[in-house]
Amino acid sequence: MGETTSLGLISVYRPAAVWRDRARRYWIEINGVRSGQIGHDEHLEFPVQPGVYDLRAAIDWTGSPVVRLSVAPGQTVRLTVEPAGNSFQFWQSFTKQGYLKLIAN
């Protein structure tokens, strides 16, 4: 009889409170692959095999720094994505990793 491995879950939330990019969607990348888009005040969930994953949020050519996380069997890892800084910090849109922040909760 084969052994079954319980999946883990990566859960990403984008809060409603921020005005910047309110009408735009962010890509969530898992191990460099665009895996889903998240809009204003939405949750995304990704069932995954237990292991280590690199996550990044992206919009156009910019986004967040990579967050490395470990997912155990049956574990839910929660993250929040939102703009970094404020609307007056326009220079952030010219960086590859400074426009968004992705935070493990």
Side-chain angles (χ1 to χ4, degrees):
M1 188 179 267
E3 184 179 321
T4 59
T5 302
S6 178
L7 293 177
L9 190 68
I10 296 173
S11 176
V12 182
Y13 173 62
R14 181 174 167 195
V18 180
W19 285 95
R20 189 171 92 184
D21 299 328
R22 187 177 180 113
R24 301 191 66 202
R25 300 177 71 73
Y26 301 154
W27 280 101
I28 301 300
E29 298 175 350
I30 301 175
N31 292 341
V33 176
R34 289 190 168 184
S35 301
Q37 286 188 300
I38 190 167
H40 172 76
D41 196 26
E42 288 184 353
H43 281 91
L44 270 182
E45 293 186 340
F46 303 96
V48 296
Q49 293 292 329
V52 176
Y53 294 90
D54 289 334
L55 271 75
R56 180 175 179 268
I59 185 171
D60 299 328
W61 62 88
T62 187
S64 72
V66 171
V67 174
R68 178 162 283 175
L69 53 92
S70 181
V71 181
Q75 178 186 25
T76 297
V77 178
R78 300 180 197 293
L79 298 105
T80 301
V81 61
E82 57 192 3
N86 61 52
S87 298
F88 298 108
Q89 293 172 311
F90 66 90
W91 57 267
Q92 291 173 322
S93 63
F94 298 106
T95 67
K96 183 167 173 63
Q97 298 182 354
Y99 190 76
L100 301 175
K101 60 182 174 180
L102 183 63
I103 303 163
N105 301 336

